[in-house]
């Protein structure tokens, strides 16, 4: 009986931990034109050496099936991003409408916030892959940098996104 109760407690704890990570990242809301889903911030730990920090969030809008990705790059170079692609090694999608939101100086670094449009279908394809996605961004000076997930983070993130996609497609 004690083992049975322990198994139930463990299963409940594991389920609530997984659900919590999704509920902490996904915030659904309604708009006049339909449902939208905000997918909260994620900081990527694997980055090019010139990138001190890469953090992104996404918003999916159901009526136009588009995904807006906002991301922040902290770097000693002012990285006004002109191009963004997302790849897993076998499939790549290019962002459209890449625009600067703002830039500011913080100490000896520049903080640049950018927005871009991506295909929901393409992001879904990338995030169901076993290979971590790589964000490749090029600034207006032609410098290219990358940010990606560690293997450990990717396994967790992939599981979270599978639940997010399931929630969005219900």
């Amino acid at each position: 009986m004690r083992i049975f109760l322990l198994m139930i407690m463990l299963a409940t704890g594991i389920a609530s931990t997984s659900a919590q990570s999704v509920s902490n990242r996904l915030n659904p809301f309604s708009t006049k034109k339909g449902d939208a889903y905000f997918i909260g911030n994620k900081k990527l730990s694997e980055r090019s050496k010139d990138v001190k920090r890469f953090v992104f969030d996404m918003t999916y809008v159901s009526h136009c099936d588009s995904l807006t990705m906002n991301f922040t790059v902290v770097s000693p170079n002012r990285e006004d991003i002109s191009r963004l692609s997302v790849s897993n090694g076998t499939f790549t999608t290019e962002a459209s409408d890449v625009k600067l939101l703002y830039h500011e100086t913080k100490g000896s670094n520049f903080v640049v916030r950018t927005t871009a449009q991506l295909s929901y279908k393409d992001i879904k394809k990338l995030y169901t892959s076993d290979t971590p996605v790589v964000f490749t961004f090029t600034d207006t000076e032609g410098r290219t940098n990358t940010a990606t997930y560690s293997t450990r983070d990717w396994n967790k993130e992939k599981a979270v996104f599978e639940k997010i996609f399931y929630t969005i497609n219900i």
Side-chain angles (χ1 to χ4, degrees), residues 16 44 129:
S16 66
L44 298 184
S129 168

Side-chain angles (χ1 to χ4, degrees), residues 22-38:
V22 172
S23 66
N24 286 342
R25 292 283 302 283
L26 184 65
N27 183 18
F29 58 97
S30 294
T31 68
K32 289 180 182 178
K33 294 183 179 182
D35 295 329
Y37 299 85
F38 175 74

Side-chain angles (χ1 to χ4, degrees), residues 141-153:
E141 301 294 319
R143 292 179 295 244
T144 298
N145 286 294
T146 60
T148 189
Y149 296 89
S150 68
T151 303
R152 183 173 172 253
D153 282 349

Side-chain angles (χ1 to χ4, degrees), residues 57-59 66-71 81-86 94-101 113-119:
D57 61 69
M58 297 180 187
T59 302
S66 71
L67 193 107
T68 300
M69 180 178 159
N70 295 322
F71 58 99
I81 310 302
S82 60
R83 184 173 171 264
L84 171 71
S85 65
V86 188
E94 291 284 332
S96 63
D97 207 19
V98 179
K99 294 180 183 175
L100 174 71
L101 292 174
R113 183 81 169 157
T114 306
T115 189
Q117 298 298 309
L118 293 160
S119 161

Side-chain angles (χ1 to χ4, degrees), residues 107-133:
S108 61
N109 292 308
F110 291 95
V111 178
V112 178
R113 183 81 169 157
T114 306
T115 189
Q117 298 298 309
L118 293 160
S119 161
Y120 173 73
K121 183 177 87 174
D122 289 351
I123 291 298
K124 187 174 179 182
K125 182 176 181 176
L126 287 164
Y127 272 82
T128 54
S129 168
D130 289 332
T131 306
V133 298

